[in-house]
Amino acid sequence: MKSDYIISCCSTADLTEKHFKDIDVKYICFHYELDGIPYADDLGKSLPFHEFYQAMQNGAETKTSQVNAEEFEEYFEKFLKQEKDILHVCLSSGLSGVVNSANIAKMNLQEKYPDRKIYIVDSLGASSGYGLIMDKLSQLRSQGMDIETLYNWVEMHKLEMHHWFFSTDLTFYVKGGRISKASGWFGGALGICPLLNMDKEGHLIPRKKIRGKNKVIHAIVDEMAKHTQDGLSYSDKCYISQSDCMEEAEKVAELVEQRFPNLCGKVEINDVGTTIGSHTGPGTVALFFWGDVRNN
């Protein structure tokens, strides 16, 4: 009989706690500071997302930190003591070094638990796109897939998860050094909304500069139409995450549901969590779906 196993990820997969429980996926929390006060990135429990983004709008300073190897050891060992194997999927190495911490913990624990399997995956994804990968892994496990087969599946298919983002507020892109102050000023004056996606190395890359919210909302759904598996007949799930701009997220969801009538359920809208939101700030909408293999 094959041993039981757990599927796990970091809180940066940006699903709700209820969703994680419903699909039986465990998670470990990143950390952040708001004006020097430390918090766990615990899906909005310690500090509601709206309050977090309002504080950023009011000038609060944010700082994030990843899960370290010692934390991973303590977290993983709880499952190993229950004689469960582990498949843990990390936030993209293009955004964080957390996969290195997880691998150090794995190396240390395998000496202590030589009969247990620990698989670490670099998702090359973020936010609810990473969360959509976790949802799929849970589904495949429920269909009877063993841990090794599931590990091979995610390594083979993770680059089929598309991540497209736009921002209606360039303030925090300027603050984080992603665009220059001059570009930010002109972009804000002209109503420019940059359209970005995640490349095959898991980096967030600017692709287009689009003038006006309505145009960028249509442009992001156009990208989905270009890249989805089966085109407009796409029949898998679609997730959105948003950072305190629900109105724009709902407009994207409505347009997606109009153009893709065979979707598996309605578009699910989540919050951009505090780790990723510390860098994007409010005003970001992200669209996630299964598509062709991402390239640069």
Side-chain angles (χ1 to χ4, degrees):
M1 182 176 176
K2 292 172 182 171
S3 62
D4 192 11
Y5 69 96
I6 65 108
I7 301 173
S8 171
C9 63
C10 305
S11 58
T12 44
D14 288 351
L15 300 179
T16 64
E17 184 171 28
K18 181 180 185 304
H19 194 152
F20 279 127
K21 285 181 178 177
D22 286 347
I23 63 175
D24 192 20
V25 169
K26 314 301 182 185
Y27 65 89
I28 186 170
C29 294
F30 267 57
H31 316 279
Y32 71 97
E33 293 181 9
L34 190 67
D35 277 343
I37 300 173
Y39 294 89
D41 177 10
D42 57 3
L43 316 180
K45 290 192 292 243
S46 297
L47 184 68
F49 294 120
H50 176 71
E51 292 181 23
F52 170 77
Y53 287 115
Q54 190 61 55
M56 289 188 76
Q57 289 277 33
N58 294 339
E61 293 293 326
T62 59
K63 181 181 178 183
T64 61
S65 58
Q66 65 191 36
V67 184
N68 63 39
E70 291 76 16
E71 289 173 302
F72 268 121
E73 281 195 47
E74 182 180 355
Y75 170 72
F76 288 156
E77 193 162 23
K78 292 183 299 184
F79 307 116
L80 298 173
K81 285 179 177 177
Q82 297 169 24
E83 299 187 345
K84 293 186 177 182
D85 296 329
I86 299 168
L87 173 62
H88 182 83
V89 187
C90 291
L91 177 66
S92 171
S93 59
L95 301 176
S96 167
V98 70
V99 68
N100 298 322
S101 298
N103 275 313
I104 291 169
K106 170 187 173 176
M107 182 176 62
N108 292 340
L109 288 166
Q110 282 189 322
E111 295 179 7
K112 190 173 180 181
Y113 298 90
D115 295 330
R116 298 267 62 84
K117 296 175 182 175
I118 307 172
Y119 292 98
I120 307 296
V121 176
D122 177 359
S123 71
L124 298 175
S127 196
S128 298
Y130 170 21
L132 188 46
I133 291 174
M134 302 313 300
D135 188 272
K136 176 70 76 173
L137 295 183
S138 173
Q139 178 186 337
L140 294 171
R141 176 182 58 182
S142 69
Q143 293 171 1
M145 195 174 281
D146 64 75
I147 189 170
E148 186 174 4
T149 307
L150 192 61
Y151 168 75
N152 290 331
W153 188 95
V154 68
E155 288 290 2
M156 184 178 299
H157 293 282
K158 63 189 180 183
L159 285 177
E160 295 169 13
M161 177 52 58
H162 278 250
H163 301 59
W164 287 88
F165 300 73
F166 69 78
S167 180
T168 60
D169 184 346
L170 303 182
T171 305
F172 297 92
Y173 288 80
V174 173
K175 193 172 182 179
R178 290 171 181 81
I179 60 175
S180 69
K181 288 184 179 179
S183 295
W185 187 88
F186 282 111
L190 295 173
I192 298 295
C193 300
L195 183 63
L196 312 91
N197 81 335
M198 192 160 275
D199 69 8
K200 67 180 182 181
E201 278 87 35
H203 300 106
L204 200 54
I205 307 294
R207 299 298 184 187
K208 297 177 182 178
K209 297 176 182 177
I210 298 173
R211 190 171 182 178
K213 289 183 185 180
N214 190 55
K215 286 185 178 178
V216 79
I217 285 168
H218 281 80
I220 200 171
V221 180
D222 287 343
E223 293 297 340
M224 181 173 174
K226 289 178 191 175
H227 294 286
T228 43
Q229 296 169 353
D230 302 319
L232 296 179
S233 298
Y234 179 70
S235 58
D236 213 319
K237 294 183 180 181
C238 175
Y239 287 175
I240 288 173
S241 57
Q242 57 83 34
S243 55
D244 210 33
C245 52
M246 181 61 80
E247 183 179 346
E248 288 81 5
E250 288 176 341
K251 287 179 180 177
V252 174
E254 182 181 2
L255 190 56
V256 168
E257 288 170 1
Q258 288 173 1
R259 294 187 65 182
F260 299 88
N262 298 322
L263 279 177
C264 179
K266 294 184 70 65
V267 175
E268 182 173 314
I269 302 177
N270 295 297
D271 292 284
V272 174
T274 47
T275 295
I276 295 168
S278 291
H279 302 283
T280 68
T284 293
V285 175
L287 178 64
F288 310 104
F289 54 89
W290 293 100
D292 51 14
V293 177
R294 278 160 31 202
N295 59 51
N296 290 354

